[in-house]
């Protein structure tokens, strides 16, 4: 199932966010240096968009079909949202080499993290909204699913 990818990637982005946000700030405070705000900013994005948004989208793609009794309207939309969201995060990650002073030319690319992020959210939301209304009819009711040992959520 595609929702596991979301959850796995979300935890990865959380650890990145914790390392570059509070972790980097704490390390720089111990050494007496000044932390780069770009590293802290990317840490914030990794936690907010990489972790939180990805966890919400992944859980929604699992829960919506269980509550409606219908399979996802488009598993391809769910998968596209996953790849677009992570592509957006990888483009945004170019703040890290800028923060270390390694690749100052990456400023021109960072703004391009927005369109894939918006496309990911739209793709996921459309799929979640359409599933209950025009999704394919389920072959099993939620009660039959539970009787067969398949968890509802």
């Amino acid at each position: 199932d595609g929702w596991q990818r979301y959850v796995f990637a979300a935890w990865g982005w959380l650890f990145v966010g914790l390392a570059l946000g509070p972790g980097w700030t704490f390390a720089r405070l111990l050494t007496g240096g000044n932390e780069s705000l770009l590293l802290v900013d990317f840490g914030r994005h990794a936690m907010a968009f990489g972790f939180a948004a990805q966890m919400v989208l992944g859980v929604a793609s699992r829960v919506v079909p269980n509550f409606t009794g219908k399979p996802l309207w488009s598993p391809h939309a769910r998968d596209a949202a996953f790849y677009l969201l992570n592509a957006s995060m990888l483009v945004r990650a170019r703040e890290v080499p800028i923060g270390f002073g390694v690749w100052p030319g990456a400023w021109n690319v960072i703004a391009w993290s927005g369109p894939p992020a918006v496309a990911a959210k739209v793709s996921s939301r459309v799929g979640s909204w359409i599933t209950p209304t025009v999704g394919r009819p389920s072959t099993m009711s939620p009660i039959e699913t539970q009787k067969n040992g398949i968890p509802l959520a």
Side-chain angles (χ1 to χ4, degrees):
D1 259 344
W3 67 272
Q4 290 108 333
R5 273 184 292 195
Y6 276 100
V7 173
F8 182 76
W11 284 110
W13 285 117
L14 176 65
F15 294 130
V16 168
L18 290 173
L20 289 177
W24 178 254
T25 301
F26 184 69
R28 295 294 287 168
L29 288 174
L30 288 178
T31 61
N34 295 320
E35 75 275 359
S36 170
L37 293 178
L38 290 175
L39 297 175
V40 175
D41 183 59
F42 179 67
R44 181 176 50 89
H45 275 86
M47 285 191 288
F49 205 68
F51 171 71
Q54 203 146 217
M55 189 65 78
V56 167
L57 297 182
V59 170
S61 72
R62 172 74 170 133
V63 171
V64 168
N66 287 322
F67 282 141
T68 63
K70 298 177 180 181
L72 276 178
W73 168 71
S74 174
H76 296 297
R78 176 201 56 213
D79 295 343
F82 173 79
Y83 292 115
L84 287 166
L85 183 61
N86 284 292
S88 169
M89 288 302 300
L90 290 174
V91 170
R92 187 68 187 217
R94 295 178 188 214
E95 281 183 307
V96 174
I98 294 171
F100 284 119
V102 177
W103 188 17
W107 274 116
N108 300 332
V109 180
I110 290 175
W112 288 102
S113 68
V118 171
K121 296 294 276 182
V122 168
S123 174
S124 177
R125 291 299 104 207
V126 166
S128 293
W129 288 333
I130 292 177
T131 294
T133 56
V134 296
R136 300 178 309 254
S138 177
T139 57
M140 299 173 113
S141 71
I143 292 174
E144 289 176 47
T145 303
Q146 196 171 20
K147 284 181 186 175
N148 290 331
I150 301 170
L152 288 176

